[in-house]
mmCIF file with all atom_site columns, all heavy atoms in Angstrom:
data_model
loop_
_atom_site.group_PDB
_atom_site.id
_atom_site.type_symbol
_atom_site.label_atom_id
_atom_site.label_alt_id
_atom_site.label_comp_id
_atom_site.label_asym_id
_atom_site.label_entity_id
_atom_site.label_seq_id
_atom_site.pdbx_PDB_ins_code
_atom_site.Cartn_x
_atom_site.Cartn_y
_atom_site.Cartn_z
_atom_site.occupancy
_atom_site.B_iso_or_equiv
_atom_site.pdbx_formal_charge
_atom_site.auth_seq_id
_atom_site.auth_comp_id
_atom_site.auth_asym_id
_atom_site.auth_atom_id
_atom_site.pdbx_PDB_model_num
ATOM 1   N N   . ARG A 1 150 ? 25.402 -1.975 18.170 1.00 97.00 ? 150 ARG A N   1
ATOM 2   C CA  . ARG A 1 150 ? 25.589 -0.804 17.372 1.00 97.00 ? 150 ARG A CA  1
ATOM 3   C C   . ARG A 1 150 ? 27.112 -0.376 17.131 1.00 97.00 ? 150 ARG A C   1
ATOM 4   O O   . ARG A 1 150 ? 27.564 0.058  16.022 1.00 97.00 ? 150 ARG A O   1
ATOM 5   C CB  . ARG A 1 150 ? 24.793 0.374  17.926 1.00 97.00 ? 150 ARG A CB  1
ATOM 6   C CG  . ARG A 1 150 ? 24.527 1.598  16.976 1.00 97.00 ? 150 ARG A CG  1
ATOM 7   C CD  . ARG A 1 150 ? 23.514 2.644  17.753 1.00 97.00 ? 150 ARG A CD  1
ATOM 8   N NE  . ARG A 1 150 ? 23.432 2.369  19.179 1.00 97.00 ? 150 ARG A NE  1
ATOM 9   C CZ  . ARG A 1 150 ? 23.028 3.406  19.910 1.00 97.00 ? 150 ARG A CZ  1
ATOM 10  N NH1 . ARG A 1 150 ? 22.693 4.460  19.376 1.00 97.00 ? 150 ARG A NH1 1
ATOM 11  N NH2 . ARG A 1 150 ? 22.941 3.211  21.247 1.00 97.00 ? 150 ARG A NH2 1
ATOM 12  N N   . ARG A 1 151 ? 27.772 -0.417 18.223 1.00 98.00 ? 151 ARG A N   1
ATOM 13  C CA  . ARG A 1 151 ? 29.196 0.103  18.215 1.00 98.00 ? 151 ARG A CA  1
ATOM 14  C C   . ARG A 1 151 ? 30.080 -0.868 17.476 1.00 98.00 ? 151 ARG A C   1
ATOM 15  O O   . ARG A 1 151 ? 30.959 -0.477 16.743 1.00 98.00 ? 151 ARG A O   1
ATOM 16  C CB  . ARG A 1 151 ? 29.583 0.162  19.665 1.00 98.00 ? 151 ARG A CB  1
ATOM 17  C CG  . ARG A 1 151 ? 29.013 1.414  20.251 1.00 98.00 ? 151 ARG A CG  1
ATOM 18  C CD  . ARG A 1 151 ? 29.323 1.527  21.686 1.00 98.00 ? 151 ARG A CD  1
ATOM 19  N NE  . ARG A 1 151 ? 28.456 2.682  22.318 1.00 98.00 ? 151 ARG A NE  1
ATOM 20  C CZ  . ARG A 1 151 ? 27.067 2.572  22.607 1.00 98.00 ? 151 ARG A CZ  1
ATOM 21  N NH1 . ARG A 1 151 ? 26.509 1.544  22.393 1.00 98.00 ? 151 ARG A NH1 1
ATOM 22  N NH2 . ARG A 1 151 ? 26.533 3.595  23.121 1.00 98.00 ? 151 ARG A NH2 1
ATOM 23  N N   . LEU A 1 152 ? 29.897 -2.180 17.696 1.00 98.00 ? 152 LEU A N   1
ATOM 24  C CA  . LEU A 1 152 ? 30.772 -3.108 16.862 1.00 98.00 ? 152 LEU A CA  1
ATOM 25  C C   . LEU A 1 152 ? 30.517 -2.923 15.404 1.00 98.00 ? 152 LEU A C   1
ATOM 26  O O   . LEU A 1 152 ? 31.334 -3.047 14.489 1.00 98.00 ? 152 LEU A O   1
ATOM 27  C CB  . LEU A 1 152 ? 30.356 -4.507 17.213 1.00 98.00 ? 152 LEU A CB  1
ATOM 28  C CG  . LEU A 1 152 ? 30.809 -5.031 18.669 1.00 98.00 ? 152 LEU A CG  1
ATOM 29  C CD1 . LEU A 1 152 ? 30.566 -6.432 18.904 1.00 98.00 ? 152 LEU A CD1 1
ATOM 30  C CD2 . LEU A 1 152 ? 32.356 -4.682 18.981 1.00 98.00 ? 152 LEU A CD2 1
ATOM 31  N N   . VAL A 1 153 ? 29.144 -2.636 14.980 1.00 98.00 ? 153 VAL A N   1
ATOM 32  C CA  . VAL A 1 153 ? 28.765 -2.638 13.613 1.00 98.00 ? 153 VAL A CA  1
ATOM 33  C C   . VAL A 1 153 ? 29.551 -1.283 13.035 1.00 98.00 ? 153 VAL A C   1
ATOM 34  O O   . VAL A 1 153 ? 30.140 -1.261 11.886 1.00 98.00 ? 153 VAL A O   1
ATOM 35  C CB  . VAL A 1 153 ? 27.219 -2.314 13.373 1.00 98.00 ? 153 VAL A CB  1
ATOM 36  C CG1 . VAL A 1 153 ? 26.898 -1.871 11.992 1.00 98.00 ? 153 VAL A CG1 1
ATOM 37  C CG2 . VAL A 1 153 ? 26.650 -3.799 13.716 1.00 98.00 ? 153 VAL A CG2 1
ATOM 38  N N   . ARG A 1 154 ? 29.473 -0.301 13.813 1.00 98.00 ? 154 ARG A N   1
ATOM 39  C CA  . ARG A 1 154 ? 30.082 1.069  13.265 1.00 98.00 ? 154 ARG A CA  1
ATOM 40  C C   . ARG A 1 154 ? 31.591 0.825  13.059 1.00 98.00 ? 154 ARG A C   1
ATOM 41  O O   . ARG A 1 154 ? 32.130 1.194  12.081 1.00 98.00 ? 154 ARG A O   1
ATOM 42  C CB  . ARG A 1 154 ? 29.899 2.218  14.259 1.00 98.00 ? 154 ARG A CB  1
ATOM 43  C CG  . ARG A 1 154 ? 30.307 3.558  13.813 1.00 98.00 ? 154 ARG A CG  1
ATOM 44  C CD  . ARG A 1 154 ? 30.398 4.713  14.786 1.00 98.00 ? 154 ARG A CD  1
ATOM 45  N NE  . ARG A 1 154 ? 29.788 4.440  16.069 1.00 98.00 ? 154 ARG A NE  1
ATOM 46  C CZ  . ARG A 1 154 ? 28.567 4.673  16.177 1.00 98.00 ? 154 ARG A CZ  1
ATOM 47  N NH1 . ARG A 1 154 ? 27.817 5.213  15.158 1.00 98.00 ? 154 ARG A NH1 1
ATOM 48  N NH2 . ARG A 1 154 ? 27.942 4.524  17.388 1.00 98.00 ? 154 ARG A NH2 1
ATOM 49  N N   . MET A 1 155 ? 32.232 0.156  14.088 1.00 98.00 ? 155 MET A N   1
ATOM 50  C CA  . MET A 1 155 ? 33.595 0.057  13.872 1.00 98.00 ? 155 MET A CA  1
ATOM 51  C C   . MET A 1 155 ? 34.061 -0.943 12.798 1.00 98.00 ? 155 MET A C   1
ATOM 52  O O   . MET A 1 155 ? 34.979 -0.630 12.044 1.00 98.00 ? 155 MET A O   1
ATOM 53  C CB  . MET A 1 155 ? 34.256 -0.474 15.259 1.00 98.00 ? 155 MET A CB  1
ATOM 54  C CG  . MET A 1 155 ? 34.025 0.455  16.503 1.00 98.00 ? 155 MET A CG  1
ATOM 55  S SD  . MET A 1 155 ? 34.778 0.081  17.949 1.00 98.00 ? 155 MET A SD  1
ATOM 56  C CE  . MET A 1 155 ? 33.698 -1.346 18.434 1.00 98.00 ? 155 MET A CE  1
ATOM 57  N N   . ALA A 1 156 ? 33.281 -1.985 12.662 1.00 98.00 ? 156 ALA A N   1
ATOM 58  C CA  . ALA A 1 156 ? 33.558 -3.008 11.663 1.00 98.00 ? 156 ALA A CA  1
ATOM 59  C C   . ALA A 1 156 ? 33.390 -2.370 10.264 1.00 98.00 ? 156 ALA A C   1
ATOM 60  O O   . ALA A 1 156 ? 34.116 -2.777 9.327  1.00 98.00 ? 156 ALA A O   1
ATOM 61  C CB  . ALA A 1 156 ? 32.585 -4.279 11.837 1.00 98.00 ? 156 ALA A CB  1
ATOM 62  N N   . ARG A 1 157 ? 32.408 -1.499 10.070 1.00 98.00 ? 157 ARG A N   1
ATOM 63  C CA  . ARG A 1 157 ? 32.180 -0.886 8.848  1.00 98.00 ? 157 ARG A CA  1
ATOM 64  C C   . ARG A 1 157 ? 33.347 -0.209 8.252  1.00 98.00 ? 157 ARG A C   1
ATOM 65  O O   . ARG A 1 157 ? 33.884 -0.406 7.122  1.00 98.00 ? 157 ARG A O   1
ATOM 66  C CB  . ARG A 1 157 ? 31.051 0.175  8.955  1.00 98.00 ? 157 ARG A CB  1
ATOM 67  C CG  . ARG A 1 157 ? 30.749 0.779  7.570  1.00 98.00 ? 157 ARG A CG  1
ATOM 68  C CD  . ARG A 1 157 ? 29.592 1.811  7.633  1.00 98.00 ? 157 ARG A CD  1
ATOM 69  N NE  . ARG A 1 157 ? 30.167 2.895  8.322  1.00 98.00 ? 157 ARG A NE  1
ATOM 70  C CZ  . ARG A 1 157 ? 29.449 3.965  8.768  1.00 98.00 ? 157 ARG A CZ  1
ATOM 71  N NH1 . ARG A 1 157 ? 28.174 4.016  8.388  1.00 98.00 ? 157 ARG A NH1 1
ATOM 72  N NH2 . ARG A 1 157 ? 29.985 4.979  9.437  1.00 98.00 ? 157 ARG A NH2 1
ATOM 73  N N   . THR A 1 158 ? 33.992 0.611  9.080  1.00 98.00 ? 158 THR A N   1
ATOM 74  C CA  . THR A 1 158 ? 35.245 1.225  8.720  1.00 98.00 ? 158 THR A CA  1
ATOM 75  C C   . THR A 1 158 ? 36.387 0.222  8.395  1.00 98.00 ? 158 THR A C   1
ATOM 76  O O   . THR A 1 158 ? 37.128 0.361  7.324  1.00 98.00 ? 158 THR A O   1
ATOM 77  C CB  . THR A 1 158 ? 35.666 2.280  9.726  1.00 98.00 ? 158 THR A CB  1
ATOM 78  O OG1 . THR A 1 158 ? 34.685 3.137  10.061 1.00 98.00 ? 158 THR A OG1 1
ATOM 79  C CG2 . THR A 1 158 ? 36.995 3.153  9.365  1.00 98.00 ? 158 THR A CG2 1
ATOM 80  N N   . LEU A 1 159 ? 36.444 -0.673 9.258  1.00 98.00 ? 159 LEU A N   1
ATOM 81  C CA  . LEU A 1 159 ? 37.539 -1.723 8.987  1.00 98.00 ? 159 LEU A CA  1
ATOM 82  C C   . LEU A 1 159 ? 37.376 -2.538 7.775  1.00 98.00 ? 159 LEU A C   1
ATOM 83  O O   . LEU A 1 159 ? 38.278 -2.896 7.078  1.00 98.00 ? 159 LEU A O   1
ATOM 84  C CB  . LEU A 1 159 ? 37.593 -2.621 10.272 1.00 98.00 ? 159 LEU A CB  1
ATOM 85  C CG  . LEU A 1 159 ? 38.065 -2.092 11.562 1.00 98.00 ? 159 LEU A CG  1
ATOM 86  C CD1 . LEU A 1 159 ? 37.987 -3.037 12.707 1.00 98.00 ? 159 LEU A CD1 1
ATOM 87  C CD2 . LEU A 1 159 ? 39.532 -1.545 11.501 1.00 98.00 ? 159 LEU A CD2 1
ATOM 88  N N   . LEU A 1 160 ? 36.176 -2.838 7.498  1.00 98.00 ? 160 LEU A N   1
ATOM 89  C CA  . LEU A 1 160 ? 35.980 -3.554 6.164  1.00 98.00 ? 160 LEU A CA  1
ATOM 90  C C   . LEU A 1 160 ? 36.186 -2.733 4.994  1.00 98.00 ? 160 LEU A C   1
ATOM 91  O O   . LEU A 1 160 ? 36.678 -3.304 3.912  1.00 98.00 ? 160 LEU A O   1
ATOM 92  C CB  . LEU A 1 160 ? 34.419 -4.011 6.184  1.00 98.00 ? 160 LEU A CB  1
ATOM 93  C CG  . LEU A 1 160 ? 34.215 -5.141 7.161  1.00 98.00 ? 160 LEU A CG  1
ATOM 94  C CD1 . LEU A 1 160 ? 32.765 -5.680 7.263  1.00 98.00 ? 160 LEU A CD1 1
ATOM 95  C CD2 . LEU A 1 160 ? 35.073 -6.442 6.819  1.00 98.00 ? 160 LEU A CD2 1
ATOM 96  N N   . ILE A 1 161 ? 35.937 -1.465 5.175  1.00 98.00 ? 161 ILE A N   1
ATOM 97  C CA  . ILE A 1 161 ? 36.449 -0.552 3.953  1.00 98.00 ? 161 ILE A CA  1
ATOM 98  C C   . ILE A 1 161 ? 37.935 -0.519 3.781  1.00 98.00 ? 161 ILE A C   1
ATOM 99  O O   . ILE A 1 161 ? 38.512 -0.703 2.722  1.00 98.00 ? 161 ILE A O   1
ATOM 100 C CB  . ILE A 1 161 ? 35.921 0.873  4.216  1.00 98.00 ? 161 ILE A CB  1
ATOM 101 C CG1 . ILE A 1 161 ? 34.359 0.924  4.132  1.00 98.00 ? 161 ILE A CG1 1
ATOM 102 C CG2 . ILE A 1 161 ? 36.506 1.846  3.150  1.00 98.00 ? 161 ILE A CG2 1
ATOM 103 C CD1 . ILE A 1 161 ? 33.769 2.225  4.496  1.00 98.00 ? 161 ILE A CD1 1
ATOM 104 N N   . GLU A 1 162 ? 38.496 -0.503 5.005  1.00 98.00 ? 162 GLU A N   1
ATOM 105 C CA  . GLU A 1 162 ? 39.986 -0.507 4.941  1.00 98.00 ? 162 GLU A CA  1
ATOM 106 C C   . GLU A 1 162 ? 40.522 -1.854 4.414  1.00 98.00 ? 162 GLU A C   1
ATOM 107 O O   . GLU A 1 162 ? 41.661 -1.879 3.778  1.00 98.00 ? 162 GLU A O   1
ATOM 108 C CB  . GLU A 1 162 ? 40.638 -0.152 6.234  1.00 98.00 ? 162 GLU A CB  1
ATOM 109 C CG  . GLU A 1 162 ? 40.308 1.267  6.706  1.00 98.00 ? 162 GLU A CG  1
ATOM 110 C CD  . GLU A 1 162 ? 40.968 1.536  7.971  1.00 98.00 ? 162 GLU A CD  1
ATOM 111 O OE1 . GLU A 1 162 ? 40.452 1.139  9.046  1.00 98.00 ? 162 GLU A OE1 1
ATOM 112 O OE2 . GLU A 1 162 ? 41.824 2.472  7.973  1.00 98.00 ? 162 GLU A OE2 1
ATOM 113 N N   . THR A 1 163 ? 39.942 -2.945 4.744  1.00 97.00 ? 163 THR A N   1
ATOM 114 C CA  . THR A 1 163 ? 40.150 -4.227 4.241  1.00 97.00 ? 163 THR A CA  1
ATOM 115 C C   . THR A 1 163 ? 40.183 -4.230 2.700  1.00 97.00 ? 163 THR A C   1
ATOM 116 O O   . THR A 1 163 ? 41.101 -4.770 1.991  1.00 97.00 ? 163 THR A O   1
ATOM 117 C CB  . THR A 1 163 ? 39.341 -5.227 4.791  1.00 97.00 ? 163 THR A CB  1
ATOM 118 O OG1 . THR A 1 163 ? 39.305 -5.376 6.246  1.00 97.00 ? 163 THR A OG1 1
ATOM 119 C CG2 . THR A 1 163 ? 39.606 -6.744 4.241  1.00 97.00 ? 163 THR A CG2 1
ATOM 120 N N   . ARG A 1 164 ? 39.090 -3.731 2.114  1.00 96.00 ? 164 ARG A N   1
ATOM 121 C CA  . ARG A 1 164 ? 38.991 -3.700 0.797  1.00 96.00 ? 164 ARG A CA  1
ATOM 122 C C   . ARG A 1 164 ? 40.084 -2.918 0.077  1.00 96.00 ? 164 ARG A C   1
ATOM 123 O O   . ARG A 1 164 ? 40.617 -3.274 -0.948 1.00 96.00 ? 164 ARG A O   1
ATOM 124 C CB  . ARG A 1 164 ? 37.652 -3.039 0.291  1.00 96.00 ? 164 ARG A CB  1
ATOM 125 C CG  . ARG A 1 164 ? 36.459 -3.983 0.586  1.00 96.00 ? 164 ARG A CG  1
ATOM 126 C CD  . ARG A 1 164 ? 35.200 -3.362 0.098  1.00 96.00 ? 164 ARG A CD  1
ATOM 127 N NE  . ARG A 1 164 ? 33.923 -4.270 0.348  1.00 96.00 ? 164 ARG A NE  1
ATOM 128 C CZ  . ARG A 1 164 ? 33.262 -4.266 1.414  1.00 96.00 ? 164 ARG A CZ  1
ATOM 129 N NH1 . ARG A 1 164 ? 33.524 -3.473 2.458  1.00 96.00 ? 164 ARG A NH1 1
ATOM 130 N NH2 . ARG A 1 164 ? 32.264 -5.148 1.585  1.00 96.00 ? 164 ARG A NH2 1
ATOM 131 N N   . MET A 1 165 ? 40.439 -1.782 0.754  1.00 97.00 ? 165 MET A N   1
ATOM 132 C CA  . MET A 1 165 ? 41.467 -0.988 0.325  1.00 97.00 ? 165 MET A CA  1
ATOM 133 C C   . MET A 1 165 ? 42.759 -1.797 0.298  1.00 97.00 ? 165 MET A C   1
ATOM 134 O O   . MET A 1 165 ? 43.756 -1.757 -0.657 1.00 97.00 ? 165 MET A O   1
ATOM 135 C CB  . MET A 1 165 ? 41.882 0.344  1.193  1.00 97.00 ? 165 MET A CB  1
ATOM 136 C CG  . MET A 1 165 ? 40.725 1.279  1.139  1.00 97.00 ? 165 MET A CG  1
ATOM 137 S SD  . MET A 1 165 ? 40.945 2.564  2.298  1.00 97.00 ? 165 MET A SD  1
ATOM 138 C CE  . MET A 1 165 ? 42.349 3.458  1.643  1.00 97.00 ? 165 MET A CE  1
#
Side-chain angles (χ1 to χ4, degrees):
Chain A
R150 201 178 6 167
R151 289 166 185 84
L152 292 181
V153 168
R154 190 197 338 278
M155 298 185 289
R157 186 186 60 183
T158 302
L159 291 172
L160 288 174
I161 294 174
E162 294 183 289
T163 300
R164 290 182 177 91
M165 291 173 70

